[in-house]
Amino acid sequence: MEDGKNHHVRFDGVVTAGNLLSLLGMVGAVISSVFYVAVTVGHEEERITAEITLREKSIESLQQQLIAARADEAERFAGIGRRIDESVDAERAVIAQINAALSQINTRLDTAILTAHPRPLDGATR
């Protein structure tokens, strides 16, 4: 018997209401799936955009803090530099005063030596 071997699917060309309803159901499922994916992608894009915006604002804030910290450090270094310069200038003034005093002492000693009368030695007079 050849009944078991030759079973082919045959279409009779008739479209029934059940076929149309199945087609509509499949088309509706595909459209709703596409819509769901589109909505999900839209939400994901919004979340990513919000996260990017938040990170950009955080980066800008950190950059402003860094600029402020650099300005503070520059001011501190400038203040330290001014204090060092003032200290060096004060030390130079003291050194100049000491040099002036030593110069006066040298001048007085030179004058005293030049104007001094030679004295005989204690052993030479005896």
Side-chain angles (χ1 to χ4, degrees):
M1 290 195 32
E2 295 183 20
D3 289 334
K5 291 183 180 179
N6 275 339
H7 287 282
H8 296 286
V9 177
R10 292 187 301 176
F11 295 99
D12 57 3
V14 177
V15 177
T16 63
N19 297 125
L20 289 176
L21 286 175
S22 295
L23 178 65
L24 285 175
M26 284 189 290
V27 169
V30 168
I31 290 174
S32 67
S33 296
V34 169
F35 179 75
Y36 175 76
V37 168
V39 168
T40 303
V41 168
H43 287 299
E44 193 65 24
E45 280 183 13
E46 288 175 8
R47 186 189 67 76
I48 290 171
T49 302
E51 187 173 328
I52 288 171
T53 303
L54 179 65
R55 288 185 182 189
E56 286 175 349
K57 287 180 181 179
S58 296
I59 289 170
E60 288 174 9
S61 174
L62 289 173
Q63 286 174 336
Q64 290 174 353
Q65 289 175 0
L66 179 62
I67 289 169
R70 283 183 179 170
D72 289 344
E73 288 299 315
E75 183 61 34
R76 276 188 50 223
F77 284 135
I80 290 169
R82 283 191 298 271
R83 286 196 306 265
I84 289 172
D85 289 343
E86 290 169 359
S87 177
V88 167
D89 289 342
E91 290 298 319
R92 284 183 180 156
V94 168
I95 290 170
Q97 288 175 349
I98 291 170
N99 284 335
L102 287 174
S103 178
Q104 287 177 355
I105 292 170
N106 281 336
T107 303
R108 287 180 188 165
L109 284 173
D110 288 342
T111 303
I113 290 171
L114 290 175
T115 59
H117 299 299
R119 292 188 207 166
L121 295 174
D122 287 338
T125 55
R126 289 186 185 179

